[in-house]
Amino acid sequence: MTDTQLVYAYAVLRRTPEATAAAAHLRGVAGEAIRLVDPATATGPLAFAVGHVPPGDYDDAPLRAHLDDLDWMESTVRSHHAVVSALAASGAAVLPLRLATVYRDEAAAREALDTRRAYFLSLLDRLTGHVELGVKIYATPDVTPPEAAPEPGRDTASGLGVGRAYQAIRRRRQRRSEEAWHTLAQAAAHLTETAGALAVDRVAHTPERGSLAGSAPGTNMGNDAYLVPRDRVDAFRTGVLAAARATPGLRVEVSGPWAPYSFALQPEPASWPA
């Protein structure tokens, strides 16, 4: 480690023997050792989990350049998440920090931690004993069942010409599709209410579309995060999946438990000295 290295902060947590022991075995986004640092005043159990990283990758300009490198970003995200997950697995309440929260040195990190000490402690009090679970709701049915098209050059039984008959079929299919979607939207809203009743908080994320949706079948109608007591994870999962099975046309994915990323407000890094 040299004095020119930057300090990458992964999470805020309470310093406990278990968290300290877990950090001692971790490596971060640059393969660096992870350690816990205390606030500038060194009072109370609050700590940052940090690692020292090279400015050549994590100073302002190179970091901006890396944002366009998908392989670099994927590796960094995975390493960041691995550190946070390992700390959470130690039993500590963890506030995950935003990706690439970087300070000029440990003094700046300690000062930032000290400045927001009361706020961080209040969040940790709220999140202790809780985890995040993700719930994605998909619409799966074929809402436009096939109909036989009229044969070219012949009128239908209704007396319409072929072109007009084709347009009428399209309108009926569209109307059925809209009705089916409306029914599923109501069912998805009810399922969301069911999940919310089993959790203590919810954050609604934007449903995934296009490339973000990956290869998951169906249309993503809901993409939410729930804050759930650790001892109610199984009950939450069972309740949500049971509600989905009772609703034809909906498919649900429950992921986690995770550290509560969606419920930890991310602090901005302190201003760096000139």
Side-chain angles (χ1 to χ4, degrees):
M1 183 177 69
T2 68
D3 291 340
T4 61
Q5 287 186 304
L6 304 176
V7 173
Y8 186 116
Y10 293 85
V12 181
L13 69 164
R14 284 191 175 88
R15 178 187 284 278
T16 64
E18 293 78 13
T20 302
H25 299 286
L26 298 177
R27 291 292 182 270
V29 295
E32 82 283 9
I34 304 300
R35 58 190 296 263
L36 304 186
V37 299
D38 301 316
T41 57
T43 59
L46 199 64
F48 264 153
V50 306
H52 289 259
V53 296
D57 281 324
Y58 292 94
D59 218 339
D60 284 344
L63 188 56
R64 283 195 296 270
H66 279 315
L67 296 180
D68 294 324
D69 184 341
L70 294 182
D71 290 337
W72 187 91
M73 285 294 294
E74 182 178 2
S75 175
T76 301
V77 168
R78 288 182 182 276
S79 297
H80 181 104
H81 177 64
V83 171
V84 173
S85 296
L87 293 170
S90 74
V94 173
L95 302 180
L97 296 178
R98 187 185 57 208
L99 189 72
T101 297
V102 179
Y103 295 93
R104 180 60 63 187
D105 52 32
E106 278 198 11
R110 292 176 186 273
E111 183 64 30
L113 187 59
D114 196 43
T115 299
R116 306 193 73 181
R117 178 177 177 276
Y119 173 71
F120 286 143
L121 286 173
S122 68
L123 272 179
L124 286 170
D125 284 342
R126 176 172 180 261
L127 298 179
T128 295
H130 294 76
V131 295
E132 177 174 328
L133 292 172
V135 175
K136 292 183 180 180
I137 304 174
Y138 295 90
T140 60
D142 178 3
V143 295
T144 56
E147 291 186 27
E151 296 180 16
R154 296 180 59 183
D155 287 345
T156 65
S158 64
L160 295 176
V162 171
R164 293 178 62 192
Y166 176 72
Q167 293 299 322
I169 290 172
R170 289 191 62 185
R171 285 194 296 271
R172 287 199 297 271
R173 286 177 173 174
Q174 179 65 26
R175 184 166 57 251
R176 282 198 296 270
S177 178
E178 291 173 353
E179 290 171 352
W181 183 263
H182 178 70
T183 298
L184 288 180
Q186 290 182 318
H190 177 70
L191 197 151
T192 298
E193 292 178 2
T194 299
L198 295 168
V200 298
D201 201 358
R202 166 179 170 257
V203 172
H205 297 300
T206 303
E208 295 175 339
R209 297 286 188 270
S211 60
L212 292 177
S215 59
T219 301
N220 186 206
M221 303 180 72
N223 179 27
D224 299 340
Y226 293 86
L227 188 65
V228 179
R230 191 181 297 273
D231 61 1
R232 287 170 52 191
V233 167
D234 290 342
F236 178 91
R237 192 186 307 274
T238 299
V240 170
L241 294 178
R245 285 194 296 271
T247 309
L250 289 184
R251 182 176 63 83
V252 170
E253 293 179 357
V254 181
S255 61
W258 316 108
Y261 285 94
S262 301
F263 302 92
L265 183 61
Q266 310 305 327
E268 294 292 335
S271 299
W272 289 350

